[in-house]
Amino acid sequence: MLFNIRLVTSLVLVKVLIFSFSINAQYLDRTNFSTSPITLVDFKNAFNGDNGKVRLVILFSPTWGQCISGAGAVQQDILEKISSDDLQIYVIWQRILSNDTLESAQKAAKMLFNDGRVQHMWDPFHTMGLWYKGAGDLEHKDPLVWDAYYLYASDASWMENPTGLIDAGSTVWELKERLTESVTSIISK
């Protein structure tokens, strides 16, 4: 009798693990992550390729707690509440801290953004953070921009510089309500 209970318990556990794995496999399949280091040309091409969509560019460290909290807020307050395909989000994972690696960025991406409207990009050389710092659209105390967002209109384009900037801010966590309101107001128009 004890053997049968253990056998049934083991079979149930195996089924739960298989079910859990299948859910995780679906979850991983929805994570769109470019592992090659991003270049400005690559980013401009992606940005311009999504013309007609509202575009949200977010620059994060994959291991800084406040960035992870900000990413969670974007997932919960924007992606889960706005189902429109007229939104494209680019999450640019940068090497800010010593433990910021491609692997930690991939882990954060899989854990935080389960949505096909999110394109993850790896930026170990700070290409985008330095570009945004030089653009001057946002005051940032560090030598490069990180833990920040830039929201662009659906008709924005990027030739020499991007057009159609609606809102920008840092930190994402501290400005999560403002960001959510900005995205919601432009998507619902």
Side-chain angles (χ1 to χ4, degrees), residues 26-135:
Q26 290 174 340
Y27 177 74
L28 295 177
D29 288 345
R30 294 183 67 186
T31 304
N32 186 1
F33 200 113
S34 293
T35 58
S36 298
I38 189 72
T39 68
L40 188 57
V41 170
D42 291 338
F43 188 77
K44 285 180 182 181
N45 289 338
F47 186 92
N48 289 329
D50 287 317
N51 192 23
K53 295 182 180 186
V54 172
R55 282 150 286 173
L56 176 59
V57 179
I58 307 172
L59 297 97
F60 278 142
S61 155
T63 62
W64 180 249
Q66 192 162 326
C67 288
I68 299 304
S69 296
V74 170
Q75 176 67 37
Q76 182 178 2
D77 298 340
I78 296 174
L79 289 169
E80 290 177 7
K81 293 180 180 173
I82 299 173
S83 60
S84 175
D85 287 334
D86 293 333
L87 174 64
Q88 177 65 44
I89 298 178
Y90 308 99
V91 178
I92 300 168
W93 299 101
Q94 299 184 96
R95 183 176 285 146
I96 303 297
L97 306 174
S98 61
N99 55 342
D100 289 345
T101 63
L102 175 59
E103 292 75 24
S104 65
Q106 289 173 312
K107 181 179 176 184
K110 290 173 187 172
M111 184 177 68
L112 293 164
F113 294 105
N114 184 16
D115 196 296
R117 297 171 293 171
V118 179
Q119 169 66 51
H120 298 274
M121 300 173 177
W122 175 233
D123 188 8
F125 307 118
H126 308 117
T127 301
M128 299 308 300
L130 291 170
W131 189 92
Y132 274 109
K133 180 69 174 188

